[in-house]
Amino acid sequence: MIVLSDIKLGNKILVTSALPYVNNVPHLGNLIGSVLSADAFARFMRINGKEVLFVLGTDEHGTTTEVRAMEEGLTPKELVDKYFVIHKNIYDWFETSYDCLGRTSSEANAKITIDIFNDLYKNGFIIENTITQLYSEKSKKFLSDRFVEGECPFCHALGARGDQCDSCGKLLEPNELINPVSKIDGTKPILKETKHLYIDLPKIEPDLMKWYNTTKSKWSNVAVGITEHWLKQGLKERCITRDLEWGIKVPLEGWDNKVFYSWFDAPIGYIGITIESIGDEWKNWWMNQDVTLYQFMGKDNVPFHAIMFPAFLIGTKKDYKLVNYLASTDYLNYEDKKFSKSKNIGVFGNDAKETGICADVWRYYLFRVRPETGDTQFVWDDFGSKVNNELVGNFGNFINRVVSLDEKFFELKKPKGSKKELIESVKPLIEEYKNLFTEARIRDALIKANEISALGNKYLQDKQPWITIKTDEALAAATIAECIDFSKLLAVIYYPFVPKGSEKIWQMLGEKENIVNVGINGAFSGVREETKLTKVGILFEKLEQKSIEEFKQKFSGERK
Ligand code: ZN
């Protein structure tokens, strides 16, 4: 669906990762769907010479938070403070290179949410409706979405929540549940009248469609499919308020007991988090049409980014930046199952660290099986074979061979004579790698990097400097010098995927300048002759079959 000729990037690239709900620990599928994809992409754009702002944070409002806080015996604020730290530690451990990290519960986000609401209100896009809603007489409280559970009206699964049925995935209104029960007090709720605010999406639709038709050619197939399914059904007015205490208060008189529904302030959170992090500079990104905006998310988040968030911004009639490239993924499943914290199935962000396997290795495999064209699986045996054969056996092996040969024959000094024929020969492949990244096809870009690295191994195998050294030392020197130059290029192109490994190679090559500042173009200049290389040890550890079996068992859900 993406048309390459349409892609004309400006110099400023704004990147967002879908904001994970703060009230649980993200699993590997969540991480690759948004956070890590956005990270690799941001890193690529930096080595591609662009100015990047990568925005990441946590979605903290909503009934889910209130319900979870109730279960853990905490206030909502205490709950989100606790989980924010857990999230931040996970993102840091996975080497996420965010420029802005923040929270939708910040003051900055409340302020910008209210600004946007006021503009929508002033422009006539907010309407008031009186509805009947489930109400607990015992707790004297209206019960919004997750505060009620019951039978799904579509698939008749029990335990469907008031906002969504997990069995069939349909979005629900609490009133639609069959036999609803209050989660707060276990009573059967009654129906009672109350008023709510709605965003008038049908009224914004013509302008939304105009914008959508100019931009959709650059979205992923999944994103276009989901968006068009929604548009075909026709946009409806959607309620943007909730009967909760935890949230951003509606800034109108007589609305004291209502807050904005979290899906209203969560996407606005990208802007709020930017303001929280860089202050007034935010306008250079979010109100600047020279910026190119890429948004990364799992497919469940597409409607909010393709329809809702753009509709809010279009409705302000201000010059907000709208998404250019909506990069959504399918789902990563776990060994033919769904990730489940409660059943102990699958690897969650905090578990990854405890396995003792380094972040680069996790990142490598997650990018390698990134669900770009359909759902994919995390499979331990596949993890082992891809890491051992590709990351260690191809990329790591090339670097190690080059250093060992250079040590053996040239005392770790870069010899003379590189004609840069190897590095020049891969220029067309580097262009393909750049195009794949520009289309947000991160898995395919990694496969392309592997293809480039394999050419290094082939070159070394064909030239056999360990043999030519006996008859023609200058030729052997030139071969090894070529390979050292090539190592520099590989370090840069693998940097979006395995940043720690790339930085190690950088250090090994004695490079003083930051790898990002040198970038892809700079890497073609190669390494200065006579540079003394530094040995940095093993780049990536092999995964042993014994530990793979242990982890497979540990995260299978079969024992606690
Ligand atoms: Zn259902």
Side-chain angles (χ1 to χ4, degrees):
M1 194 65 76
I2 293 175
V3 183
L4 261 181
S5 58
D6 283 357
I7 298 186
K8 289 189 188 68
L9 298 177
N11 195 42
K12 285 167 92 91
I13 311 289
L14 178 56
V15 183
T16 70
S17 156
L19 307 179
Y21 279 124
V22 79
N23 44 24
N24 45 37
V25 178
H27 55 64
L28 297 180
N30 304 135
L31 289 167
I32 188 59
S34 51
V35 180
L36 291 179
S37 292
D39 179 63
F41 182 80
R43 286 177 182 274
F44 162 74
M45 282 296 169
R46 293 186 193 114
I47 56 164
N48 198 29
K50 303 292 181 185
E51 188 188 353
V52 173
L53 192 79
F54 171 19
V55 180
L56 174 63
T58 44
D59 177 6
E60 305 198 338
H61 287 136
T63 19
T64 330
T65 302
E66 271 197 32
V67 171
R68 186 66 184 256
M70 213 167 63
E71 287 165 1
E72 293 199 15
L74 300 171
T75 65
K77 172 75 176 135
E78 287 166 347
L79 183 96
V80 298
D81 286 349
K82 171 183 152 185
Y83 277 93
F84 177 77
V85 175
I86 295 174
H87 275 248
K88 182 178 184 302
N89 288 342
I90 292 171
Y91 304 144
D92 289 343
W93 188 78
F94 274 97
E95 302 289 339
T96 314
S97 63
Y98 51 79
D99 299 292
C100 303
L101 180 73
R103 314 168 61 172
T104 60
S105 68
S106 73
E107 239 173 77
N109 194 41
K111 193 173 172 304
I112 186 75
T113 299
I114 288 169
D115 280 354
I116 288 174
F117 169 78
N118 285 339
D119 287 334
L120 289 166
Y121 189 78
K122 192 180 70 198
N123 295 334
F125 294 124
I126 300 292
I127 42 187
E128 189 182 315
N129 284 329
T130 298
I131 57 163
T132 51
Q133 199 181 329
L134 296 173
Y135 181 81
S136 161
E137 288 183 300
K138 188 174 179 195
S139 301
K140 305 227 175 315
K141 206 171 161 154
F142 282 102
L143 303 171
S144 46
D145 26 81
R146 293 185 183 218
F147 279 108
V148 269
E149 280 184 4
E151 184 182 328
C152 170
F154 298 100
C155 73
H156 297 281
L158 299 176
R161 299 187 315 260
D163 60 342
Q164 190 168 22
C165 169
D166 277 340
S167 287
C168 66
K170 286 234 164 60
L171 297 179
L172 303 175
E173 289 294 329
N175 296 8
E176 296 176 319
L177 290 173
I178 301 166
N179 296 325
V181 174
S182 159
K183 275 208 60 158
I184 307 176
D185 51 32
T187 59
K188 188 173 161 49
I190 60 156
L191 283 168
K192 191 173 169 168
E193 282 202 336
T194 181
K195 57 179 185 173
H196 277 288
L197 295 173
Y198 287 68
I199 182 160
D200 193 347
L201 292 177
K203 201 169 167 185
I204 303 176
E205 190 170 350
D207 285 335
L208 183 74
M209 288 307 294
K210 221 183 282 169
W211 163 77
Y212 172 69
N213 286 325
T214 62
T215 195
K216 68 176 176 186
S217 66
K218 302 148 208 160
W219 293 7
S220 65
N221 291 345
V222 185
V224 171
I226 295 172
T227 308
E228 304 213 326
H229 178 71
W230 269 63
L231 291 171
K232 237 173 249 158
Q233 291 178 329
L235 296 182
K236 298 179 188 72
E237 297 165 356
R238 278 182 74 96
C239 187
I240 58 163
T241 49
R242 277 294 182 265
D243 297 279
L244 293 174
E245 276 138 50
W246 175 242
I248 299 170
K249 300 273 179 224
V250 175
L252 299 176
E253 253 179 71
W255 289 81
D256 302 344
N257 297 322
K258 313 267 178 180
V259 299
F260 288 117
Y261 192 8
S262 57
W263 69 258
F264 184 68
D265 68 75
I268 297 173
Y270 296 125
I271 307 176
I273 289 164
T274 310
I275 299 172
E276 188 188 342
S277 305
I278 61 171
D280 288 343
E281 291 284 304
W282 74 274
K283 285 188 180 167
N284 296 340
W285 294 93
W286 287 101
M287 290 196 128
N288 177 356
Q289 299 308 318
D290 294 334
V291 164
T292 308
L293 171 57
Y294 277 81
Q295 300 204 280
F296 287 84
M297 71 207 69
K299 62 183 166 188
D300 51 331
N301 258 316
V302 169
F304 299 100
H305 292 82
I307 296 170
M308 309 301 170
F309 187 37
F312 305 162
L313 298 178
I314 289 170
T316 62
K317 304 199 182 218
K318 285 186 176 160
D319 200 25
Y320 283 105
K321 182 69 216 165
L322 302 174
V323 61
N324 297 100
Y325 300 94
L326 205 148
S328 69
T329 52
D330 283 273
Y331 293 135
L332 176 76
N333 293 316
Y334 183 83
E335 298 263 358
D336 285 324
K337 295 173 190 159
K338 282 204 162 124
F339 284 91
S340 165
K341 190 83 195 163
S342 57
K343 293 180 190 147
N344 211 21
I345 298 173
V347 180
F348 286 71
N350 48 348
D351 302 325
K353 183 178 175 181
E354 283 158 25
T355 59
I357 301 168
C358 72
D360 269 354
V361 169
W362 284 105
R363 288 174 61 107
Y364 179 84
Y365 183 63
L366 292 172
F367 291 125
R368 189 63 183 75
V369 295
R370 181 175 185 259
E372 273 174 28
T373 47
D375 292 351
T376 57
Q377 301 278 344
F378 180 99
V379 178
W380 276 102
D381 289 329
D382 187 49
F383 185 18
S385 82
K386 287 206 164 63
V387 166
N388 293 348
N389 297 332
E390 300 173 3
L391 181 64
V392 180
N394 174 359
F395 176 42
N397 182 49
F398 174 76
I399 304 291
N400 287 338
R401 283 173 84 192
V402 172
V403 179
S404 311
L405 288 167
D406 189 45
E407 182 179 29
K408 190 165 174 196
F409 301 126
F410 302 102
E411 294 165 334
L412 279 176
K413 267 195 189 153
K414 188 197 172 194
K416 292 190 170 137
S418 173
K419 295 194 222 34
K420 299 208 178 74
E421 58 182 21
L422 175 59
I423 215 170
E424 286 295 323
S425 74
V426 300
K427 270 191 169 159
L429 293 176
I430 294 287
E431 284 310 306
E432 288 174 35
Y433 161 93
K434 284 158 83 170
N435 287 337
L436 289 166
F437 250 122
T438 306
E439 294 175 28
R441 287 166 61 189
I442 297 169
R443 177 195 58 192
D444 294 345
L446 175 54
I447 293 170
K448 191 59 68 181
N450 286 344
E451 195 183 323
I452 296 167
S453 167
L455 291 174
N457 279 310
K458 183 174 183 304
Y459 183 85
L460 204 47
Q461 207 55 38
D462 290 348
K463 297 281 178 178
Q464 302 191 320
W466 53 92
I467 293 186
T468 56
I469 189 89
K470 294 169 197 155
T471 52
D472 186 345
E473 191 182 320
L475 178 64
T479 304
I480 290 173
E482 285 274 354
C483 290
I484 290 173
D485 287 339
F486 197 63
S487 302
K488 180 170 174 177
L489 180 68
L490 290 182
V492 174
I493 66 169
Y494 275 92
Y495 171 76
F497 311 110
V498 288
K500 280 280 164 218
S502 286
E503 278 160 11
K504 267 192 185 175
I505 298 169
W506 212 244
Q507 192 192 336
M508 176 192 100
L509 297 173
E511 291 293 331
K512 300 280 182 288
E513 179 95 42
N514 187 304
I515 189 166
V516 172
N517 297 342
V518 173
I520 299 173
N521 289 342
F524 280 98
S525 63
V527 176
R528 207 167 28 83
E529 282 177 0
E530 304 285 305
T531 298
K532 178 93 177 168
L533 306 190
T534 314
K535 289 180 83 176
V536 289
I538 292 172
L539 284 177
F540 313 105
E541 296 275 355
K542 266 196 162 181
L543 294 173
E544 300 299 333
Q545 193 55 36
K546 187 169 159 281
S547 24
I548 288 173
E549 295 303 330
E550 278 171 26
F551 293 133
K552 207 193 287 181
Q553 175 64 27
K554 183 174 179 193
F555 298 109
S556 66
E558 281 159 21
R559 71 187 158 101
K560 279 278 165 196

